[in-house]
Amino acid sequence: MPSVLNMYVYAPFFSGYFESLGVPGGNLIYSDFTSGELYREGSGRGAIDPCFPAKIGIAHVHNLVFTKHAKKKLDLIFFPMVDVLHTPLKNLQGSNACPTVTVTPETVKAAFTKEADVFGQHGVTYLDPLVNFADRKLLAQQLFSALEPLLGLSEEENIRAIDVGFKELEAYESDIRRRARVVMDQLEAEKRIGIVVLARPYHHDPGLNHEILEEFQKLGYPVFSQSTLPLDEDLLERLFGEEVRNNAITSALDIQDVWKNSYSASTNHKVWAAKFTARHPNLVALELSSFKCGHDAPIYTTIESIIERSGTPYFSFKDIDENKPSGSIKIRVETIHYFLKRY
């Protein structure tokens, strides 16, 4: 499985799912984290020219076919097209993935089969089913249709494996949220600052974020993900309770007061995380966005307005692409660090 895009959300699900069907954990092979070398080795195949996170899909499949396959024979490359994501937020119009992200597995397949079937030459099956994580019944049908011919599984086995996958995903997310709450409480007790990263799941890949997050961690700032902020009732009551009681919002997990076009999952999560950050006295916001991101562009002003209205510091690294300007990144990180020490 390629370590790209929304696999940064659903890797725990698929690991649990396949292991429940009897595939040993050691036989679940993920591509390496993005690096300059990985990108250069696998980016020579022609394809569309979308954002960098989508472009690296080809390089990661190349890594699986030509590096991982050489070390341990692969039978299947599984690169699902995630169409709709799960979400804890309420009162949304939708929770869809970016269309470019969704169809990237198809463009990758074209790159490896247009001139010659590279997968067939290496004895590897390539599978990219469309999946919907907001509808378990539909998800069961989609995975069963895709995998039954290969694995010979029954519908009962498939449903049980899906339940296991969601339990693993929920345990993974709950553990991160629990640890995030512990660190936030520690920040309050010690009067320190933490950084909430307003970015899409795949920006946790060090090759995509150019190790910006690591630079802040080296300076002692805990880094929180927009997708796994703590959801403890007492914390949400403290941050959003008054607004709920005043009917400004229907729930602490509602974003309709600031963003009506709530159909894009990662956009919705970014907007809500901005609201969370603006209300927490020990958090500041750091927004990351990739070059050509059509979903991020319309909300730049919205995010900045939400954050700065409360007097909370807001910083951003936008138009991140394959080029890594290491010197300027370090200067900006050091400048932000200087400001935060004074703040």
Side-chain angles (χ1 to χ4, degrees):
M1 289 178 274
S3 299
V4 294
L5 303 174
N6 283 315
M7 290 303 283
Y8 274 88
V9 178
Y10 292 114
F13 171 89
F14 286 117
S15 291
Y17 174 82
F18 283 116
E19 287 189 50
S20 176
L21 293 175
V23 180
N27 286 4
L28 298 175
I29 310 298
Y30 288 91
S31 59
D32 296 319
F33 288 118
T34 304
S35 65
E37 182 181 1
L38 181 145
Y39 182 59
R40 285 190 297 272
E41 287 181 353
S43 62
R45 297 180 181 277
I48 59 173
D49 184 30
C51 61
F52 184 45
K55 283 195 285 189
I56 62 168
I58 292 175
H60 279 262
V61 171
H62 183 277
N63 177 256
L64 288 171
V65 173
F66 292 96
T67 301
K68 301 294 186 179
H69 185 59
K71 297 177 181 177
K72 184 172 185 176
K73 183 180 180 299
L74 303 180
D75 300 296
L76 169 69
I77 291 179
F78 185 70
F79 195 176
M81 295 187 287
V82 179
D83 182 32
V84 185
L85 285 72
H86 73 297
T87 179
L89 303 184
K90 310 292 184 184
N91 196 25
L92 302 172
Q93 294 183 21
S95 187
N96 295 80
C98 163
T100 298
V101 168
T102 298
V103 302
T104 290
E106 273 291 298
T107 63
V108 169
K109 180 169 68 175
F112 283 87
T113 58
K114 185 176 181 180
E115 297 178 356
D117 186 355
V118 176
F119 303 123
Q121 292 172 356
H122 288 80
V124 177
T125 299
Y126 183 87
L127 200 61
D128 61 343
L130 189 71
V131 292
N132 181 326
F133 277 92
D135 186 334
R136 287 201 189 191
K137 187 174 181 180
L138 177 57
L139 178 64
Q141 294 174 353
Q142 292 167 327
L143 290 178
F144 182 76
S145 297
L147 292 166
E148 189 278 331
L150 291 170
L151 300 180
L153 71 162
S154 68
E155 291 187 10
E156 292 76 16
E157 288 174 318
N158 181 56
I159 291 172
R160 185 179 69 244
I162 286 174
D163 288 341
V164 171
F166 272 111
K167 286 178 182 176
E168 290 296 321
L169 178 60
E170 290 162 6
Y172 167 78
E173 291 183 340
S174 295
D175 180 58
I176 296 179
R177 293 187 199 279
R178 178 188 58 77
R179 287 187 284 157
R181 177 62 190 276
V182 170
V183 176
M184 283 186 190
D185 289 347
Q186 185 177 359
L187 291 177
E188 290 192 59
E190 299 175 357
K191 294 181 170 37
R192 292 171 52 218
I193 288 174
I195 295 174
V196 176
V197 178
L198 305 178
R200 294 170 185 270
Y202 43 76
H203 285 120
H204 292 289
D205 183 335
L208 282 187
N209 63 41
H210 296 327
E211 300 178 334
I212 292 170
L213 310 185
E214 185 177 340
E215 292 296 324
F216 280 106
Q217 288 176 311
K218 289 177 182 176
L219 294 170
Y221 297 102
V223 173
F224 303 92
S225 167
Q226 70 174 39
S227 302
T228 48
L229 293 171
L231 300 177
D232 305 275
E233 288 187 13
D234 66 310
L235 181 59
L236 296 184
E237 164 62 27
R238 178 152 60 95
L239 300 183
F240 297 98
E242 184 176 349
E243 293 166 81
V244 173
R245 287 188 292 276
N246 291 338
N247 296 318
I249 48 178
T250 61
S251 160
L253 299 172
D254 186 357
I255 61 171
Q256 287 296 310
D257 58 323
V258 292
W259 187 243
K260 304 295 184 183
N261 302 313
S262 56
Y263 57 85
S264 170
S266 291
T267 301
N268 296 341
H269 292 162
K270 180 178 281 195
V271 170
W272 185 80
K275 290 179 62 178
F276 185 104
T277 306
R279 287 156 177 76
H280 196 292
N282 296 80
L283 299 178
V284 300
L286 176 69
E287 185 175 12
L288 303 182
S289 184
S290 293
F291 181 57
K292 292 187 178 180
C293 184
H295 280 282
D296 274 352
I299 62 167
Y300 285 156
T301 302
T302 300
I303 296 297
E304 189 170 353
S305 299
I306 292 170
I307 300 294
E308 293 188 342
R309 185 172 181 179
S310 67
T312 300
Y314 162 84
F315 311 99
S316 65
F317 289 80
K318 294 173 182 172
D319 292 336
I320 297 173
D321 209 348
E322 56 258 49
N323 299 319
K324 182 183 179 182
S326 302
S328 62
I329 285 175
K330 287 191 175 182
I331 290 172
R332 287 199 62 199
V333 170
E334 290 171 2
T335 302
I336 292 170
H337 175 50
Y338 175 77
F339 172 85
L340 289 177
K341 283 194 296 184
R342 294 174 62 86
Y343 174 76

